[in-house]
Amino acid sequence: ETGVTQSPTHLIKTRGQQVTLRCSSQSGHNTVSWYQQALGQGPQFIFQYYREEENGRGNFPPRFSGLQFPNYSSELNVNALELDDSALYLCASSLGQGVNTGELFFGEGSRLTVL
Amino acid sequence: EDQVTQSPEALRLQEGESSSLNCSYTVSGLRGLFWYRQDPGKGPEFLFTLYSAGEEKEKERLKATLTKKESFLHITAPKPEDSATYLCAVRNFNKFYFGSGTKLNVKP
């Protein structure tokens, strides 16, 4: 059974640039969610995708957007990067829809540094 | 506003010294309370899900309990390999809310 994989593991961008992070969900999982984790803090929910549709969103501005593909892999896009966007971005997959979503299985994360 | 607060922020224990971590929450529609373990540089690893007050789950030296306003993670006779950050999260429909975690350090 393949776990959740994320790429790239580390990247450095400058303020104003755009970034795309990628996630392959665990085999058999149809729901993907994304989190931002600042140093020393808990993960903050960005959004969740089920069957290619966004069905839950946290308090993040529209410049944070995503996609889920038919094979349930996913992308997180962040436009107009700001210094405060520097964080570990975690992807998690789970089985289920919305209210029935089960436990989350996380990848190792993508560490983004914005200079 | 949905919120999760964990205490203490950090905890140092001697090997074999039992203790408890606290997670208090306010959520409008609880659809599960989750405990995760996170090692440095890694993604969180699922430990337990609790759904209703009075429920308890156990795994090796860990035991999680749930009341209407808080959850406890009890660690019995911890070992150095239990050192990690323990995260609590609640689910409200399609959203998850995490606490800031308790960083546990178990000394041999």
Side-chain angles (χ1 to χ4, degrees):
Chain A
E1 185 179 83
T2 307
V4 178
T5 57
Q6 293 186 242
S7 63
T9 54
H10 295 82
L11 69 166
I12 300 173
K13 293 286 188 177
T14 56
R15 201 170 48 178
Q17 284 189 311
Q18 179 264 344
V19 68
T20 297
L21 307 178
R22 296 178 174 82
C23 171
S24 293
S25 59
Q26 183 162 314
S27 176
H29 285 184
N30 55 15
T31 302
V32 173
S33 50
W34 286 90
Y35 299 81
Q36 180 193 68
Q37 187 174 26
L39 206 58
Q41 300 296 313
Q44 278 201 288
F45 175 71
I46 303 175
F47 43 57
Q48 175 176 281
Y49 278 82
Y50 169 73
R51 291 188 175 178
E52 303 176 57
E53 296 282 335
E54 183 185 300
N55 71 345
R57 190 175 182 94
N59 295 326
F60 280 81
R63 60 189 185 84
F64 286 78
S65 63
L67 283 173
Q68 187 182 30
F69 300 99
N71 65 355
Y72 304 132
S73 65
S74 177
E75 285 183 357
L76 165 65
N77 299 290
V78 187
N79 294 322
L81 284 167
E82 301 176 359
L83 297 180
D84 285 348
D85 295 334
S86 295
L88 180 68
Y89 288 85
L90 294 163
C91 168
S93 73
S94 55
L95 184 61
Q97 174 197 1
V99 296
N100 297 318
T101 301
E103 58 261 24
L104 303 172
F105 292 84
F106 285 86
E108 302 281 86
S110 293
R111 170 76 60 189
L112 171 65
T113 301
V114 182
L115 301 176
Chain B
E1 182 180 316
D2 296 335
Q3 193 170 330
V4 178
T5 304
Q6 291 189 246
S7 62
E9 289 184 10
L11 182 62
R12 298 179 99 184
L13 298 174
Q14 286 296 127
E15 184 172 1
E17 180 187 1
S18 302
S19 188
S20 297
L21 313 182
N22 177 263
C23 169
S24 61
Y25 62 91
T26 53
V27 62
S28 53
L30 183 68
R31 293 292 185 269
L33 183 140
F34 303 81
W35 282 98
Y36 287 85
R37 169 191 170 127
Q38 187 172 26
D39 293 302
K42 299 206 166 185
E45 177 188 344
F46 170 76
L47 292 173
F48 302 110
T49 308
L50 302 165
Y51 288 103
S52 55
E55 191 175 356
E56 298 182 351
K57 293 272 180 75
E58 280 188 73
K59 180 180 179 180
E60 295 181 358
R61 295 176 293 282
L62 301 177
K63 178 180 175 181
T65 61
L66 181 65
T67 70
K68 286 187 178 178
K69 293 188 176 182
E70 58 190 350
S71 176
F72 292 93
L73 184 66
H74 307 279
I75 303 176
T76 302
K79 298 182 178 182
E81 53 261 41
D82 295 321
S83 297
T85 296
Y86 290 85
L87 297 165
C88 169
V90 296
R91 180 164 61 88
N92 177 2
F93 293 99
N94 293 351
K95 298 183 183 181
F96 284 82
Y97 300 90
F98 279 82
S100 295
T102 293
K103 187 172 183 178
L104 175 66
N105 185 5
V106 182
K107 298 253 180 187

